[in-house]
Amino acid sequence: MTTIKDVANEAGVSISTVSRILNFDDTLSVGEDTRRRVLEVAEKLQYKKRNKRQVKTGKQIAIVQWHTDKEELSDLYYLQIEYGIENKAASLGATIERVTYESIDKNRIKNFDGIIAVGKFDKTEVTELASYGLPVICIGENYLQYGLDCIRSDFESPVRKIVDRFIEKGINDIGMIAGKELTVTEKQGVRDPRVATFNQYLSEKGLYNSDFVFQGPFGPDSGFELMNEAIGKLGDKLPHGFMIGSDSMAVGVLRALQQHNIKVPDRVSIISFNDVAIAKYTSPALTTVHVHTELMGERAIEMLLQRIKNPKKVPELTIIATELVNRESSK
């Protein structure tokens, strides 16, 4: 099992620096390069050593990122997916290049063999990507209506499992701190299937309370602010169970609860999503839904190669299962 010492050794920094970076300590004065290096090392070591890069032969693939590099470091879900893409590409002798949607060179990208678009894109953006005449695989949403192959995680099933788990533990007052996202070009709100399933499933059980649902940007600062808002608004009526939209949000949630001397999991049980490396190093360690991000990236490469080989193949939607990882933050 990877330890903080392993991360520190590979990143070339102290153990305390690693701990503070993984807990998004904003009082730590380190450069962005150091922060990125530590987070990337932690993510790599959580799974396995990445394959050594092979000679640059074979297909050339562009990874089009939805987020900027800085945004990606505040919520590591997409970074994990990209490692899966890179690992699979390296094993097949393909080369990849990362670009953000806004930085695409429209003339240069046509020299690639295909595109893997990672994130949440609106109609304008999807239409633009398809206009380059290259095979496009999308990771994150269902884009079958645009004739594109796509991959997404099953986020609906774990929401129901988490609710059932809370109820089995005698927790019937259940809250949610969820992420809220907008597309880059059209500034459209992105539907989160976890929020929709949470609202519907709790309503079916007669347990839904809109006062217990808080939404804001993904990331630790937002998690901290939203939990503080919940504590201030609800006081003693603060739910005993909370579902959190991402592990990075949960880091901020834990910090807010600790500052208010609210014990986890004795008073509030926390279950989050994604199972990025930081989930193991919080205090308490996070119970979280493991999303098979590396598998999503690997499958995207496979689907792209199939699409290149057979351009007229019927578009497919692949849904990857998730699983709950039990740690210390929930009863």
Side-chain angles (χ1 to χ4, degrees):
M1 176 179 175
T2 302
T3 65
I4 286 182
K5 184 177 179 181
D6 296 328
V7 177
N9 288 340
E10 182 145 337
V13 297
S14 69
I15 291 174
S16 63
T17 296
V18 171
S19 178
R20 293 175 70 182
I21 289 175
L22 293 181
N23 282 281
F24 294 96
D25 184 347
D26 55 13
T27 66
L28 177 64
S29 178
V30 295
E32 283 300 312
D33 288 346
T34 300
R35 190 179 301 275
R36 170 173 283 277
R37 185 168 72 252
V38 168
L39 290 170
E40 288 185 343
V41 166
E43 291 303 328
K44 294 173 194 174
L45 293 183
Q46 175 170 253
Y47 294 100
K48 59 187 178 184
K49 296 282 186 180
R50 284 165 64 193
N51 296 320
K52 293 182 179 179
R53 290 189 178 274
Q54 299 184 5
V55 177
K56 293 187 177 182
T57 59
K59 304 300 182 184
Q60 295 188 354
I61 301 166
I63 300 177
V64 178
Q65 302 172 191
W66 177 44
H67 282 154
T68 64
D69 288 341
K70 187 173 183 179
E71 289 171 330
E72 196 172 62
L73 290 183
S74 69
D75 194 83
L76 304 171
Y77 172 71
Y78 295 109
L79 188 64
Q80 285 186 321
I81 292 173
E82 288 163 20
Y83 285 146
I85 296 171
E86 291 178 7
N87 275 328
K88 187 67 174 181
S91 71
L92 296 175
T95 59
I96 62 98
E97 182 174 327
R98 295 191 202 183
V99 296
T100 63
Y101 175 80
E102 294 180 313
S103 68
I104 292 174
D105 182 329
K106 296 180 181 180
N107 293 316
R108 185 169 179 273
I109 200 166
K110 294 178 180 179
N111 296 322
F112 287 85
D113 294 290
I115 295 171
I116 298 178
V118 182
K120 316 286 178 62
F121 300 90
D122 56 39
K123 181 178 180 180
T124 298
E125 294 160 352
V126 172
T127 302
E128 177 75 20
L129 291 173
S131 73
Y132 301 136
L134 301 174
V136 179
I137 308 297
C138 298
I139 303 181
E141 290 289 297
N142 180 351
Y143 295 107
L144 287 179
Q145 62 180 312
Y146 302 107
L148 300 179
D149 296 299
C150 35
I151 304 168
R152 62 177 287 260
S153 292
D154 173 20
F155 283 130
E156 294 86 353
S157 298
V159 170
R160 290 187 283 268
K161 289 179 181 178
I162 292 169
V163 169
D164 290 341
R165 175 190 171 115
F166 280 145
I167 293 172
E168 289 170 4
K169 298 294 183 180
I171 298 174
N172 294 309
D173 53 337
I174 304 170
M176 185 172 200
I177 290 181
K180 182 183 291 185
E181 299 173 304
L182 298 175
T183 59
V184 174
T185 303
E186 298 181 9
K187 304 301 180 185
Q188 291 184 347
V190 177
R191 177 184 178 274
D192 189 333
R194 290 166 293 193
V195 176
T197 305
F198 179 88
N199 295 347
Q200 178 184 356
Y201 196 52
L202 280 178
S203 295
E204 291 173 2
K205 293 181 174 296
L207 298 175
Y208 178 71
N209 186 335
S210 60
D211 290 339
F212 292 170
V213 179
F214 300 83
Q215 285 188 269
F218 282 99
D221 292 341
S222 176
F224 178 77
E225 292 167 3
L226 292 173
M227 179 50 78
N228 273 327
E229 180 184 344
I231 293 168
K233 177 181 177 181
L234 300 173
D236 291 341
K237 294 183 180 179
L238 188 73
H240 286 74
F242 267 97
M243 193 179 308
I244 314 297
S246 72
D247 297 330
S248 63
M249 291 188 86
V251 170
V253 166
L254 287 174
R255 188 164 71 242
L257 290 169
Q258 288 165 357
Q259 287 187 6
H260 287 272
N261 295 315
I262 298 173
K263 301 297 184 182
V264 178
D266 297 343
R267 171 58 179 86
V268 175
S269 284
I270 298 295
I271 300 179
S272 57
F273 279 81
N274 296 343
D275 194 25
V276 298
I278 59 174
K280 299 177 181 179
Y281 303 122
T282 58
S283 182
L286 288 169
T287 297
T288 184
V289 174
H290 180 77
V291 179
H292 293 278
T293 47
E294 188 173 30
L295 178 59
M296 292 169 70
E298 292 173 354
R299 182 64 183 135
I301 290 286
E302 294 168 357
M303 292 176 73
L304 182 61
L305 295 179
Q306 291 170 8
R307 175 60 57 189
I308 292 171
K309 184 177 181 180
N310 183 8
K312 295 184 178 181
K313 184 176 71 71
V314 176
E316 298 178 5
L317 167 63
T318 297
I319 300 177
I320 306 292
T322 53
E323 57 188 301
L324 189 63
V325 178
N326 292 307
R327 294 196 181 100
E328 302 166 352
S329 68
S330 65
K331 292 181 178 179

